[in-house]
């Protein structure tokens, strides 16, 4: 490639940057701690400088960011970084720039994730060409749908599904919801289905304050209260994923993405997740036939893979 494209998966804590050619595969992946840089521009500048001649040949970029990306000004949700698209293009001399929401990038990325990096939850059979759903808890709860456009290229639909109102379907969920109402007022999905939500569920039912990764670790070690916390979380997760699968008609498959989902993957087979996913009368049969997979890949991340798929199309225009 005479002009490789820079692809980046930019999270709240760290960023992964790589060069992309016509095949869309990330090469020379470099990981940066965001705390080391005052701005996103400084981080990109340091990365390109370290790539020497290859960095100087970059004429375009695809950035997947943890935040809304559809306006000219982009601000990360959980880091004090903001930029304008025109400002980045001018500063780095890029003729082409695409900025994606992180779940938009994930939806592109799940198409090329290796089978070894997918953990099936239940059965079903994906229908080729049918809509695909990607969702998952992290700092919030991300949602994206993928459909095939008229030209055969994938089209990703994003939204704020994590801000949909959350209800209760049994006594345990009603008890949790009552606590959440006292804390938040109107309760939305990501108040419960997020990393902080997992920690809060554990606190509500046990009285213990534990970081979400410690709750998951305790559950994996067989600690009873932590297992119960994760089962409450996974039942909610299954129900909301089932709701979204019906909304998107996701007969092409459901992919559960993000670090929280990957951490919980070993617990899902013996949890209420799949039962809650399918329990949507009168459409149980449709959901029984819908495949669900947890995305566990870490290097490259699904977000970086997705940015790479978009970057490949830019590379074809630049070369």
């Amino acid at each position: 490639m005479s002009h490789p494209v820079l692809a980046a998966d930019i999270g709240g804590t760290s960023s992964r940057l790589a060069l992309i050619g016509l095949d869309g595969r990330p090469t020379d992946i470099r990981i940066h701690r965001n705390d080391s840089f005052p701005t996103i521009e400084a981080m990109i500048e340091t990365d390109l400088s370290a790539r020497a001649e290859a960095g100087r040949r970059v004429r375009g970029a695809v950035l997947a960011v943890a935040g809304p990306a559809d306006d000219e000004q982009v601000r990360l949700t959980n880091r004090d970084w903001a930029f304008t698209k025109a400002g980045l293009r001018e500063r780095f001399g890029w003729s082409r720039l695409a900025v994606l929401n992180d779940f938009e990038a994930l939806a592109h990325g799940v198409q090329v994730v290796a089978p070894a990096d997918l953990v099936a939850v239940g059965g079903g059979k994906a229908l080729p060409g049918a809509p695909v759903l990607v969702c998952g808890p992290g700092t919030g709860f991300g949602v994206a749908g993928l459909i095939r456009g008229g030209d055969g290229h994938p089209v990703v639909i994003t939204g704020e599904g994590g801000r949909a109102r959350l209800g209760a379907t049994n006594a345990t969920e009603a008890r949790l919801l009552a606590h959440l109402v006292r804390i938040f007022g109107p309760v939305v999905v990501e108040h419960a289905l997020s990393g902080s939500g997992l920690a809060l569920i554990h606190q509500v039912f046990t009285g213990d304050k534990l970081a979400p990764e410690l709750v998951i670790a305790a559950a994996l070690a067989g600690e009873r209260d932590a297992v119960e916390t994760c089962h409450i979380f996974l039942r909610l997760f299954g129900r909301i994923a089932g709701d979204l699968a019906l909304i998107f008609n996701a007969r092409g498959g459901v992919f559960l993405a993000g670090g929280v989902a990957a951490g919980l993957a070993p617990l899902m087979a013996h949890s209420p997740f799949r039962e809650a996913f399918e329990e949507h009368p009168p459409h149980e049969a449709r959901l029984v036939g819908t495949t669900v997979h947890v995305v566990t890949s870490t290097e490259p991340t699904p977000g970086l893979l997705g940015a790479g798929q978009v970057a490949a199309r830019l590379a074809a225009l630049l070369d």
Side-chain angles (χ1 to χ4, degrees):
M1 282 291 298
S2 56
H3 294 298
V5 174
L6 184 73
D9 182 10
I10 301 171
T13 303
S14 62
S15 299
R16 286 166 167 78
L17 281 71
L19 298 183
I20 306 294
L22 294 173
D23 63 357
R25 301 299 299 183
T27 60
D28 194 10
I29 299 170
R30 303 188 181 206
I31 303 172
H32 303 282
R33 297 290 296 178
N34 293 348
D35 284 343
S36 300
F37 305 97
T39 64
I40 190 171
E41 292 89 346
M43 187 263 292
I44 293 172
E45 192 167 85
T46 297
D47 182 89
L48 291 175
S49 296
R51 297 178 189 276
E53 176 60 27
R56 288 191 290 273
R57 289 190 286 111
V58 169
R59 292 293 179 268
V62 177
L63 311 180
V65 301
D70 44 1
D71 291 330
E72 167 60 22
Q73 184 173 53
V74 177
R75 183 176 296 277
L76 272 68
T77 301
N78 295 294
R79 173 157 291 273
D80 190 22
W81 282 0
F83 61 91
T84 65
K85 297 172 185 177
L88 280 188
R89 284 195 298 268
E90 181 178 357
R91 175 160 181 169
F92 295 106
W94 294 334
S95 59
R96 296 186 180 274
L97 170 66
V99 183
L100 314 177
N101 168 264
D102 54 350
F103 264 79
E104 184 179 359
L106 283 169
H108 286 289
V110 296
Q111 304 170 89
V112 292
V113 168
D117 291 326
L118 296 173
V119 176
V121 184
K125 183 176 182 180
L127 299 182
V132 168
L133 166 68
V134 182
C135 65
T139 304
F141 187 86
V143 178
L146 185 146
I147 60 174
R148 294 289 169 184
D151 59 0
H153 286 136
V155 176
V156 175
I157 303 167
T158 61
E160 293 296 329
R163 303 303 297 180
R165 293 293 180 90
L166 181 67
T169 62
N170 59 34
T172 299
E173 292 176 3
R175 179 183 168 192
L176 172 64
L177 198 65
H179 280 271
L180 296 179
V181 167
R182 286 195 288 272
I183 296 169
F184 299 108
V187 178
V188 300
V189 167
E190 61 188 31
H191 287 152
L193 292 181
S194 58
S196 60
L198 178 63
L200 187 54
I201 291 170
H202 192 68
Q203 184 178 351
V204 167
F205 288 99
T206 70
D208 294 332
K209 292 185 178 181
L210 285 180
E213 60 271 19
L214 296 181
V215 176
I216 294 173
L220 292 174
E223 201 278 316
R224 187 179 63 181
D225 287 346
V227 170
E228 181 60 26
T229 293
C230 291
H231 280 190
I232 294 168
F233 184 93
L234 287 168
R235 178 169 176 79
L236 283 169
F237 192 4
R239 174 161 62 85
I240 296 303
D243 291 347
L244 292 167
L246 291 176
I247 291 168
F248 279 94
N249 191 29
R251 304 184 80 178
V254 174
F255 294 87
L256 310 178
V260 176
L264 290 168
L267 299 170
M268 285 195 181
H270 300 290
S271 80
F273 177 93
R274 186 75 201 199
E275 177 186 4
F277 177 82
E278 296 172 358
E279 190 179 62
H280 285 72
H283 297 296
E284 290 95 338
R286 179 177 292 263
L287 292 172
V288 166
T290 300
T291 59
V292 179
H293 289 89
V294 184
V295 182
T296 60
S297 58
T298 58
E299 207 59 67
T301 61
L304 190 58
L305 285 172
Q309 294 301 294
V310 177
R313 297 202 285 274
L314 291 190
L317 298 173
L318 291 170
D319 201 37

